[in-house]
Amino acid sequence: HRSLPHTHAQTEFKGSTHCRSQLQSSMASDHRLGALKAFDDTKAGVKGLVDAGATVVPLIFHHAPESLNDAPHHHDHQFAIPVIDLAGLATPSGRASAVGAVKAAAETVGFFQVVNHGVPEAAMSAMLAGLRNFIEEPVEAKAPYYTRDHGRRVRYQSNFDLFQSPAANWRDTLFMDMAPEPPAPEEIPPACRAVVPEFAGLVQRLGSTLLGLLSEALGLRRGHLEEDAACLEGLSLACHYYPTCPEPHLTLGTTKHSDPSFITVLLQDAVGGLQVLVVDDDKQNPAWVDVPAVAGALVVNVGDYLQLLSNDRFKSVEHRVVAKSAGPRVSVACFFRTDGSTRVLAPIVADGGNARYRNTTVDEMVRHYRAKGLDGVSSLQYVRI
């Protein structure tokens, strides 16, 4: 009989231990939320931490070791990111060669770089300089643009998913929704007001060229993706600033993710840090491969919407940006999306094939993306059959 009280006491002890761990977890969660809110309220972003002389990375930016080291980093890999020259598109043979190269890249690694793309280097340099000038302004000059209101076409913030993601990323961003309805000039910060509309127009023209090549690579008429699928209808710029990091081994510039777009065109400076997750032909042995900075080139990648439209023929591949002690790194990601949030995304199924995705809308895909943040899980899994 003596054991009964002992058992009861053990149960009580286990119960109190469980309650204590729940309480500790709740307190840790509250503390983290408080730290996130305090950081956000400064409206100074990661740049503000660095300017204040931070010599350590705050806990809210610490990523779990398993997410930092989820695959080896290969400097030399069979899947080098191809560089495609668009200079010969005016001739039938030159165009056929470019279509073949784009098709091979889109079907395998999902990334390629383009040169002789029609965006002058002066416009590219001016865009990067304008972004750098804005982010490096005093906090009080940037604060009016700092917002989490998706209704505003120009939004400066640090981490769009700050309150959803498991860990914050070491970067600040100026978002601008440029098409179909561009912001009024006064909505764009003065530091980049002159260059943004010009750069966006040049990138849209390149987007039309790329969508033509990708349409032909799918065996469709040249105008299909632009006109029938409305892939050129919406354009958003995510202008990223990655400050130098005192402890780059603890955090990331951007977590592993794939893009909520048809295609993304990226302008990056020479600092480097962008990596693509590649697998071999058997979908085994994933490895991180660097996307090197090629002078005058723009990086292009397939987004989730195009993988869905192509019924998995084209690959929307996961990628990330590592934090670096060098820098700052500055880049501009140009996301081609459809403006119609209710527009149906439906896979283009080859004769005799089966659809791998159910029909969905852009609105549904964006809701998944915003709700979960950059958690390394593709939104495509929610619509896969």
Side-chain angles (χ1 to χ4, degrees):
H1 294 294
R2 245 181 261 153
S3 65
L4 286 173
H6 175 67
T7 307
H8 180 65
Q10 274 187 322
T11 306
E12 275 194 359
F13 177 72
K14 280 182 184 168
S16 66
T17 304
H18 177 65
C19 288
R20 196 180 304 127
S21 70
Q22 276 194 320
L23 182 63
Q24 286 171 337
S25 173
S26 172
M27 286 170 65
S29 176
D30 288 349
H31 179 74
R32 175 176 163 74
L33 186 60
L36 290 169
K37 190 158 179 359
F39 167 70
D40 200 42
D41 287 348
T42 66
K43 300 186 176 182
V46 176
K47 179 72 167 65
L49 296 175
V50 173
D51 288 348
T55 55
V56 296
V57 168
L59 274 173
I60 57 170
F61 295 93
H62 285 211
H63 288 247
E66 58 271 20
S67 68
L68 291 168
N69 307 303
D70 57 354
H73 174 215
H74 287 185
H75 295 281
D76 301 305
H77 198 278
Q78 60 173 349
F79 281 116
I81 309 301
V83 178
I84 300 173
D85 191 341
L86 300 183
L89 296 186
T91 68
S93 63
R95 186 168 187 90
S97 171
V99 168
V102 164
K103 181 174 186 283
E107 289 178 347
T108 52
V109 72
F111 269 75
F112 54 95
Q113 303 209 50
V114 289
V115 292
N116 293 312
H117 41 63
V119 181
E121 286 205 37
M124 292 161 63
S125 300
M127 183 67 222
L128 291 175
L131 170 60
R132 191 179 286 112
N133 290 343
F134 168 68
I135 299 288
E136 292 177 356
E137 282 181 345
V139 175
E140 52 273 19
K142 295 180 290 189
Y145 301 95
Y146 198 95
T147 181
R148 297 198 177 275
D149 176 4
H150 290 293
R152 281 174 57 177
R153 280 178 294 195
V154 177
R155 310 180 291 282
Y156 160 58
Q157 58 190 220
S158 186
N159 290 258
F160 79 93
D161 56 351
L162 185 69
F163 295 97
Q164 290 84 32
S165 64
N169 288 314
W170 198 256
R171 71 160 195 279
D172 300 325
T173 304
L174 177 66
F175 286 103
M176 289 177 279
D177 295 324
M178 299 304 299
E181 188 73 28
E186 61 272 16
E187 291 179 76
I188 301 172
C192 47
R193 189 172 291 165
V195 69
V196 164
E198 181 201 358
F199 179 76
L202 290 163
V203 167
Q204 255 182 317
R205 194 173 68 189
L206 171 60
S208 177
T209 300
L210 293 168
L211 289 168
L213 295 170
L214 288 159
S215 293
E216 290 177 54
L218 286 169
L220 305 167
R221 68 178 189 84
R222 187 181 298 183
H224 183 92
L225 289 175
E226 179 177 342
E227 294 156 19
D228 300 2
C231 298
L232 199 65
E233 204 172 59
L235 174 64
S236 300
L237 306 188
C239 309
H240 297 308
Y241 184 101
Y242 302 87
T244 54
C245 183
E247 297 177 301
H249 59 286
L250 294 177
T251 190
L252 285 167
T254 303
T255 318
K256 177 175 77 172
H257 69 288
S258 56
D259 288 350
S261 63
F262 291 107
I263 58 172
T264 303
V265 174
L266 178 81
L267 165 63
Q268 61 171 350
D269 66 10
V271 172
L274 175 62
Q275 296 179 342
V276 175
L277 190 64
V278 299
V279 292
D280 59 26
D281 294 338
D282 301 322
K283 300 198 172 172
Q284 302 294 315
N285 308 314
W288 289 107
V289 174
D290 294 313
V291 180
V294 175
L298 290 165
V299 181
V300 182
N301 65 279
V302 173
D304 289 348
Y305 305 165
L306 186 53
Q307 177 167 327
L308 187 154
L309 280 190
S310 72
N311 205 34
D312 278 351
R313 286 175 63 186
F314 292 167
K315 304 290 187 282
S316 176
V317 174
E318 291 176 320
H319 47 286
R320 69 179 185 181
V321 177
V322 295
K324 300 186 78 143
S325 52
R329 168 186 162 83
V330 182
S331 68
V332 179
C334 310
F335 297 108
F336 287 92
R337 302 167 168 154
T338 177
D339 177 55
S341 58
T342 56
R343 180 177 285 279
V344 174
L345 296 174
I348 300 161
V349 182
D351 292 341
N354 295 312
R356 298 188 179 186
Y357 299 94
R358 63 175 172 81
N359 290 5
T360 184
T361 62
V362 171
D363 190 47
E364 183 187 1
M365 295 288 281
V366 168
R367 275 204 314 272
H368 284 309
Y369 188 78
R370 283 187 181 154
K372 68 191 189 62
L374 298 185
D375 62 353
V377 179
S378 171
S379 297
L380 289 173
Q381 73 163 26
Y382 299 106
V383 293
R384 189 179 285 281
I385 294 171

